[in-house]
Each structure stands twice: as structure tokens, then as C-alpha cells.
């Protein structure tokens, strides 16, 4: 009876696909994680630097208080640019994420999920 149960468990595992550890150690999964890190880390650093530059520069500097276009100061233009930057990063990530999704689907197919 125990032999049948063990055999059934092995068959169920084979039907389900590979284990998480097998997926984690596969070359394609490591490639996926590496590519995601190469995009996400620099874009996050850029976003945070750009985001915190406005309050820091307006608090400790007079640079952004200078008029840029008529009565509109550089601080207002910088603040508006943050909205543009946020949307641009979202659009860029959506495009790059499609490649990540394709690679993830490929991994799922190969691993039998």
C-alpha cells in the first residue's frame, strides 16, 4: 500500500511539473531575474533621485526659484516634469514587462506548469 502511495506521489509530481527549487535554479529563471534587476534597480534609483531633488533643491537652494518662463519658476517646471517622468517610466516599464512576461511564459511551459 505504501509503495502505491509513493508511486502515486511521484506520478503527481511529474504531472504537475518541476519543483520550485528546480525552477529557481534553472538558467532561464536566473536570466529573467537578472534582466528584471537590470531594469528595475536603475529606474528606481533614477525615480527616487529625481523625486527627492525637488524638495531638497527648493529647501536648501535658490536655483529653482529663478523665473524660467515669465512668472513661472523652475520649481514649477521641475514639479510638472515629475508627472511626465512618472508617466514615461510607467509606459517604459509596461513595454519592457512584455518581454519579462514572454520569458516567464516560456519558463512555465518548459517547467510543465
Amino acid at each position: 500500500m505504501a509503495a502505491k502511495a509513493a508511486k502515486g506521489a511521484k506520478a503527481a509530481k511529474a504531472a504537475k511539473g518541476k519543483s520550485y527549487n528546480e525552477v529557481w535554479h534553472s538558467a532561464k529563471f536566473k536570466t529573467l531575474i537578472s534582466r528584471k534587476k537590470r531594469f528595475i534597480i536603475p529606474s528606481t534609483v533614477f525615480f527616487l533621485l529625481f523625486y527627492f531633488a525637488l524638495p531638497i533643491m527648493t529647501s536648501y537652494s535658490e536655483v529653482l526659484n529663478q523665473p524660467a518662463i515669465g512668472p513661472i519658476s523652475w520649481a514649477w517646471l521641475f514639479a510638472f516634469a515629475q508627472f511626465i517622468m512618472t508617466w514615461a517610466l510607467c509606459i517604459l516599464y509596461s513595454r519592457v514587462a512584455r518581454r519579462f512576461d514572454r520569458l516567464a511564459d516560456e519558463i512555465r511551459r518548459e517547467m510543465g506548469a
Side-chain angles (χ1 to χ4, degrees):
M1 188 70 129
K4 261 189 174 179
K7 196 174 192 181
K10 283 183 184 179
K13 183 182 183 259
K16 250 172 63 174
K18 298 189 178 185
S19 73
Y20 179 76
N21 281 333
E22 290 172 307
V23 173
W24 180 260
H25 293 293
S26 72
K28 283 199 176 184
F29 187 79
K30 288 181 180 183
T31 300
L32 172 64
I33 297 301
S34 171
R35 287 181 184 173
K36 285 180 87 168
K37 282 182 182 178
R38 267 195 317 230
F39 178 80
I40 292 172
I41 292 172
S43 60
T44 301
V45 168
F46 169 74
F47 173 81
L48 290 172
L49 289 174
F50 196 84
Y51 178 79
F52 285 112
L54 179 63
I56 290 170
M57 289 177 73
T58 55
S59 296
Y60 302 107
S61 164
E62 297 291 320
V63 173
L64 295 180
N65 293 338
Q66 306 302 318
I69 302 169
I72 300 171
S73 70
W74 285 105
W76 283 105
L77 291 178
F78 196 97
F80 181 70
Q82 287 188 338
F83 287 98
I84 295 170
M85 181 267 310
T86 301
W87 279 99
L89 278 177
C90 288
I91 292 167
L92 181 62
Y93 180 77
S94 295
R95 290 182 180 171
V96 173
R98 286 187 208 125
R99 286 186 243 147
F100 299 153
D101 291 344
R102 275 186 248 132
L103 189 52
D105 289 340
E106 195 176 305
I107 292 168
R108 259 188 242 117
R109 278 192 304 276
E110 283 182 10
M111 297 301 167

